[in-house]
Amino acid sequence: MKKYIDVMDTTFRDGFQSVFGARVLTNDFLPAVSAARDAGITHFEFGGGARFQSLYFYLNEDAFEMMDRFREAAGKDANLQTLSRGVNTVTLDTGSREIVDAHAKLFAKHSTTTIRNFDALNDVANLEYSGERIKHHGAKHEVVVTMMDLPPKCEGAHDAAFYEKILRNILESGIPFDSVCFKDASGTSNPQKVFETIKMARRVLGDSVHLRLHTHETAGVSVACYLAALEAGADGIDLAAHPVSGGTSQPDILTMLHAVKGKNYDLGGLEVEKILKYEETLAECLKDYFIPPEATQVSPLIPFSPMPGGALTANTQMMRDNNILHKFPAVIKAMREVVEKGGFGTSVTPVSQFYFQQAFNNVMFGDWKKIADGYGRMVLGYFGKTPVAPDARIVELASAQLKLKPTTQKAIDLADADETKSLSYAKAILEKEGLPTSEENVFIVAACKEKGVAYLKGEGKLMVRKNASAGLTTESNLKKGKSEMAKFSVTVNGNKYNVEVNDGFDNFGVSEVKAPAQSAPSATGVSVEKAEAVLPKHEATGGAGEVLAAMSGGVFKIAKNVGDAVKKGEAVVILEAMKMEIPCEAQKDGVVKEILVKQGATVSEGDVIAVVE
């Protein structure tokens, strides 16, 4: 008899995150969930990770409602699994015990069967409380050891001996769990190390513990790694369905069925013809969505600069939005040094984002001239203990720039001491805004901050990337089956123009053309962004009173008002780009004469956004 291998379908969480930056509307994909159920799939990854915040940030949808609707489509007996980042839960920051508990309680309440729980630093202290609360609230706990390969000549972590140490730390800590997963978000682990690691885990855990591997195709070795894991004794693997399989995502279900032909494995009892029908339905559901070309590719550079598939396309899409995609190869190249000096935390959220942000800053502002907040706090110990000590010079730079001292306190204890990470703080915000203070709403605000409040006030933005022929749609128009005219600014060969696009190819027309504005061309030579991004042009003269956009991005906050006194080096406007807050500073002491942007607008690098006199 063939060994039964449990297959978790990651299409609707990791697949969506790895290909679309997690931006897929619920109404669009639910028919595919029903098709997957009919194809015999009973185990789904359906939420958590970036598929929590993204619904409020970009889709104007409620993640808890989505999860309950998913349960209806998948059936009452399906094993529905979410992804949690230990003490970070579903955010990029650490959470207090209150937030960690609320996460477990609400996810169990809203249709979750199993929570896969990892820490990017493999700091077991970050898993203890979260694991206990997951079990307390009735969900199954899948505890995780995170994996990757290190760049050449790096050592001290991320070999089978290191993973055995982490696994034994988990066992010694007494964390309750139902299964164990070895998770490689960057897909960089080599097959031999996977074999040795799973073999070790089976020896340590015995035969009764469910043991599985998660990887991505980003580096081109995922199928080989899965075969190695199965040969070593794994009980489960994660796969996705076309068109969100392969490339930056998981291997395709059909590909893996083909790979195990003639071997002694039964992949979830799945049948090729039924999976073919499911994938046809999924392709129809997603036919209007723009698939970035990098999402379908593997990269030989990823083992040197381990960029997770789930973060890669989200970052390239943000770079597209900000017209700086041509910088991506340089950022990936710079990421290698950032990993080498950062203490060898696993390149998975949030650490992967910290690596990328620091590499991005090194490219945009000069090597180590600007320490990214997340990266800096990581090397200083604010997210837990890194596997090895970070580079001493980088720690010193981070401490000076962030004005923080290194710490050895537990991340969750630091979060408990931060009033802004209490549930009462989030509740007070809701009360001030006159919004209902349900447990769900409190958690939404605690996890999503200002964007959560905007969603609850009905001010959320819909930012879905669909092909031009499909038009840009809003949720109300989706229900009506119509799409709006979309206004864009289009950059062609460095020149920017305003255009309006009607529904359908034949209705394309240029309604207004303004004087071209200089802007760096994208990698393709043509980029598209919201028309509201185009500012009334205020040409830079180089005067000290001009406050310039430090880089392309959205206006997150107006820090000063007209008439306010300001000191040299003080932020006047704060931009948001690449999930970072970028201060735009006054270049001299004075008084704010003009603010030339509004909150929510998009600016280009070098734009004059305020004037100080």
Side-chain angles (χ1 to χ4, degrees):
M1 180 181 293
K2 291 186 175 184
K3 179 180 178 180
Y4 183 87
I5 303 299
D6 179 80
V7 171
M8 181 168 75
D9 184 345
T10 59
T11 297
F12 304 97
R13 206 289 303 172
D14 209 341
F16 284 176
Q17 182 174 333
S18 298
V19 176
F20 302 119
R23 304 187 193 189
V24 182
L25 294 159
T26 303
N27 284 348
D28 287 346
F29 74 77
L30 278 182
V33 177
S34 299
R37 177 201 64 208
D38 293 344
I41 294 173
T42 60
H43 189 180
F44 297 88
E45 189 179 40
F46 83 129
R51 280 287 293 172
F52 184 81
Q53 286 184 324
S54 65
L55 272 72
Y56 302 102
F57 287 10
Y58 309 118
L59 302 181
N60 203 24
E61 291 187 348
D62 179 24
F64 294 121
E65 180 184 348
M66 179 279 291
M67 291 160 65
D68 289 337
R69 293 180 67 191
F70 197 109
R71 168 63 73 186
E72 292 176 7
K76 62 182 180 64
D77 297 324
N79 181 1
L80 300 187
Q81 188 161 318
T82 60
L83 185 67
S84 177
R85 304 161 183 154
V87 72
N88 306 97
T89 62
V90 287
T91 76
L92 296 179
D93 199 2
T94 53
S96 65
R97 284 177 172 83
E98 288 183 339
I99 291 175
V100 170
D101 177 72
H103 163 264
K105 180 180 181 179
L106 290 169
F107 274 59
K109 174 183 176 182
H110 289 281
S111 305
T112 302
T113 310
T114 303
I115 298 179
R116 176 178 286 174
N117 187 35
F118 74 89
D119 180 64
L121 299 180
N122 277 313
D123 185 342
V124 175
N126 286 342
L127 298 173
E128 291 173 346
Y129 188 71
S130 56
E132 189 274 322
R133 299 321 289 169
I134 288 167
K135 290 295 290 181
H136 174 83
H137 289 293
K140 293 181 179 180
H141 179 216
E142 184 164 280
V143 71
V144 175
V145 177
T146 57
M147 302 178 70
M148 70 176 183
D149 262 20
L150 292 172
K153 299 182 180 179
C154 291
E155 57 184 23
H158 293 290
D159 54 20
F162 171 76
Y163 299 137
E164 179 171 358
K165 182 183 74 171
I166 301 303
L167 182 58
R168 291 191 181 277
N169 287 346
I170 290 171
L171 296 174
E172 291 165 5
S173 73
I175 299 172
F177 62 84
D178 299 275
S179 56
V180 175
C181 176
F182 286 83
K183 175 180 172 65
D184 185 346
S186 58
T188 55
S189 294
N190 64 81
Q192 181 61 28
K193 184 178 77 173
V194 167
F195 179 84
E196 293 172 2
T197 299
I198 299 299
K199 200 78 172 176
M200 170 276 297
R202 181 55 73 207
R203 170 173 49 83
V204 171
L205 295 168
D207 294 332
S208 62
V209 175
H210 183 85
L211 180 61
R212 59 191 308 122
L213 178 71
H214 168 96
T215 191
H216 288 244
E217 178 61 7
T218 322
V221 293
S222 64
V223 172
C225 285
Y226 275 151
L227 290 173
L230 294 177
E231 292 295 328
D235 301 305
I237 57 177
D238 297 352
L239 302 171
H242 181 77
V244 293
S245 57
T248 51
S249 182
Q250 280 69 59
D252 194 272
I253 299 170
L254 292 171
T255 300
M256 203 65 206
L257 285 170
H258 184 65
V260 299
K261 285 178 180 176
K263 294 184 177 292
N264 195 36
Y265 307 117
D266 173 8
L267 296 189
L270 301 176
E271 300 174 21
V272 169
E273 293 298 335
K274 290 182 179 180
I275 298 299
L276 280 168
K277 187 174 181 180
Y278 157 40
E279 292 199 349
E280 288 174 2
T281 302
L282 180 66
E284 177 63 24
C285 288
L286 300 176
K287 70 180 189 303
D288 291 337
Y289 283 82
F290 169 66
I291 297 180
E294 61 272 16
T296 64
Q297 300 170 354
V298 298
S299 170
L301 299 179
I302 292 301
F304 302 92
S305 301
M307 187 73 227
L312 191 150
T313 51
N315 285 317
T316 57
Q317 290 286 51
M318 284 188 287
M319 294 181 86
R320 270 192 183 87
D321 292 346
N322 293 319
N323 200 29
I324 50 174
L325 185 60
H326 57 289
K327 298 282 189 181
F328 181 71
V331 174
I332 285 294
K333 184 176 181 180
M335 191 171 166
R336 176 174 175 174
E337 181 186 15
V338 168
V339 173
E340 290 172 347
K341 295 186 175 181
F344 299 166
T346 315
S347 193
V348 60
T349 308
V351 169
S352 57
Q353 198 62 31
F354 301 159
Y355 285 153
F356 187 85
Q357 288 170 343
Q358 188 57 57
F360 180 85
N361 282 359
N362 285 358
V363 169
M364 300 298 290
F365 306 114
D367 288 349
W368 307 106
K369 299 295 185 184
K370 180 176 175 57
I371 299 292
D373 181 74
Y375 186 84
R377 289 198 294 134
M378 177 187 71
V379 300
L380 291 171
Y382 286 84
F383 286 88
K385 185 178 180 181
T386 55
V388 302
D391 182 273
R393 172 176 166 268
I394 302 305
V395 172
E396 185 178 344
L397 285 173
S399 182
Q401 290 189 29
L402 273 56
K403 296 179 174 59
L404 286 172
K405 293 181 179 180
T407 183
T408 58
Q409 283 187 266
K410 286 185 177 181
I412 200 165
D413 290 340
L414 291 168
D416 277 347
D418 186 343
E419 179 191 1
T420 67
K421 294 180 180 180
S422 67
L423 295 183
S424 60
Y425 184 85
K427 185 177 180 180
I429 292 173
L430 289 167
E431 291 171 342
K432 181 180 178 181
E433 297 288 348
L435 294 167
T437 57
S438 66
E439 289 182 308
E440 286 82 356
N441 283 2
V442 170
F443 186 79
I444 289 166
V445 172
C448 301
K449 305 293 190 292
E450 293 91 345
K451 292 180 181 178
V453 174
Y455 165 79
L456 293 171
K457 290 172 67 176
E459 299 172 357
K461 292 184 177 181
L462 179 60
M463 291 182 278
V464 180
R465 299 181 179 99
K466 292 194 174 186
N467 297 315
S469 60
L472 290 182
T473 57
T474 65
E475 185 65 13
S476 60
N477 286 330
L478 281 173
K479 294 174 182 176
K480 298 174 184 176
K482 298 178 180 178
S483 64
E484 295 179 325
M485 172 184 284
K487 296 181 178 180
F488 297 91
S489 120
V490 179
T491 305
V492 182
N493 297 326
N495 295 325
K496 187 177 288 184
Y497 304 92
N498 277 359
V499 299
E500 293 181 352
V501 184
N502 280 309
D503 207 8
F505 179 81
D506 289 338
N507 291 328
F508 180 87
V510 177
S511 61
E512 179 184 9
V513 179
K514 290 189 174 182
Q518 292 303 311
S519 176
S522 70
T524 59
V526 180
S527 66
V528 179
E529 59 190 46
K530 279 291 190 180
E532 63 200 36
V534 182
L535 298 170
K537 202 62 184 175
H538 185 117
E539 294 294 339
T541 64
E546 296 173 337
V547 178
L548 306 181
M551 58 179 292
S552 298
V555 177
F556 176 67
K557 187 182 297 183
I558 308 294
K560 296 290 183 179
N561 297 314
V562 172
D564 286 352
V566 64
K567 294 286 187 182
K568 180 179 180 180
E570 196 172 0
V572 178
V573 175
I574 298 174
L575 304 182
E576 181 182 45
M578 310 309 298
K579 297 184 180 179
M580 294 186 288
E581 293 181 18
I582 310 294
C584 301
E585 302 167 346
Q587 299 304 304
K588 68 172 187 176
D589 294 350
V591 174
V592 178
K593 179 183 178 182
E594 291 181 272
I595 300 290
L596 300 171
V597 293
K598 293 182 179 179
Q599 188 169 330
T602 303
V603 298
S604 297
E605 180 181 358
D607 282 343
V608 181
I609 56 179
V611 177
V612 174
E613 65 176 8

